[in-house]
Amino acid sequence: YCDALRHANPDPNLCLGVFGLSLYTTERDLREVFSRYGPLAGVNVVYDQRTGRSRGFAFVYFEHIDDAKEAMERANGMELDGRRIRVDYSITKRPHTPTPGIYMGRPTHNGGGSSSSGGGGGGGRRRDSYYDRGYDRYDRYDEYDYRYRRRSPSPYYSRYRSRSRSRSYSPREWI
DNA sequence: GTTGAGCGTT
């Protein structure tokens, strides 16, 4: 998407990215502003996982594409909480599926292993192209590692394995 | 009310 960001504007889309926000602009504030252009399907301010503060950008989902278009044009450059905001059609459509950040399936020694990769066996949800976008950049093991180091060698393997039956995810899908 | 260029988790 670097290309898309550098060059042309992303294609019109129900999801708008709003950037340059004040740290104090809330989803409610955004909803107030953007619902002027039409019904919203949702608003998501992106927060820093550690501090809990806004990262200064958000995503606004419209229900109708023409409302999204109008909002894009009218709200782009508007001032909000003392900041001039940028509004674009979103490139990414949705957040990544949250993962514990560690591979919890069985190691796939023998090449053939169980069913195909990429889909995963156990009937877990299949990843579609939405979820794959930008995946390798963000869903790194490293991002989560800081929470888990200094613990026993494989705490999650044992903990989650025992629980996994009652949970909805399929271990082999985690990274 | 740190900022500040940014396309994503609670």
Side-chain angles (χ1 to χ4, degrees):
Chain A
Y1 58 74
C2 295
D3 236 24
L5 281 181
R6 246 194 292 276
H7 302 293
N9 328 7
D11 291 330
N13 180 340
L14 286 175
C15 178
L16 300 183
V18 186
F19 305 94
L21 291 174
S22 159
L23 298 180
Y24 307 102
T25 298
T26 67
E27 294 182 350
R28 198 169 52 79
D29 299 329
L30 290 170
R31 188 172 285 277
E32 271 181 38
V33 169
F34 282 90
S35 61
R36 300 205 290 245
Y37 309 108
L40 301 179
V43 176
N44 273 168
V45 170
V46 177
Y47 294 99
D48 182 279
Q49 194 167 15
R50 276 186 284 266
T51 68
R53 289 194 316 178
S54 165
R55 286 177 60 190
F57 62 96
F59 298 93
V60 175
Y61 297 83
F62 277 89
E63 286 183 0
H64 307 296
I65 187 65
D66 30 308
D67 294 336
K69 287 181 186 173
E70 184 176 347
M72 204 287 255
E73 290 162 6
R74 308 259 309 266
N76 188 27
M78 120 187 314
E79 187 175 302
L80 188 54
D81 287 327
R83 297 216 141 259
R84 194 167 290 289
I85 64 175
R86 180 171 67 84
V87 181
D88 273 320
Y89 298 114
S90 180
I91 306 223
T92 60
K93 308 298 188 233
R94 52 166 52 173
H96 312 267
T97 54
T99 76
I102 211 172
Y103 179 76
M104 294 199 286
R106 244 187 265 94
T108 56
H109 302 92
N110 41 15
S114 35
S115 41
S116 59
S117 59
R125 58 177 93 82
R126 194 175 62 84
R127 284 205 197 105
D128 56 10
S129 54
Y130 274 161
Y131 281 79
D132 279 335
R133 201 160 307 214
Y135 190 86
D136 42 27
R137 194 157 55 90
Y138 286 98
D139 289 353
R140 302 314 298 185
Y141 173 64
D142 311 345
E143 281 199 6
Y144 299 86
D145 193 36
Y146 71 95
R147 299 161 77 187
Y148 304 144
R149 46 175 81 124
R150 307 192 59 75
R151 290 179 144 219
S152 59
S154 57
Y156 270 76
Y157 188 86
S158 46
R159 278 181 58 198
Y160 275 67
R161 270 267 290 191
S162 55
R163 286 197 201 164
S164 60
R165 296 198 196 298
S166 58
R167 297 229 172 167
S168 56
Y169 54 69
S170 159
R172 205 180 288 113
E173 291 212 82
W174 301 114
I175 292 217

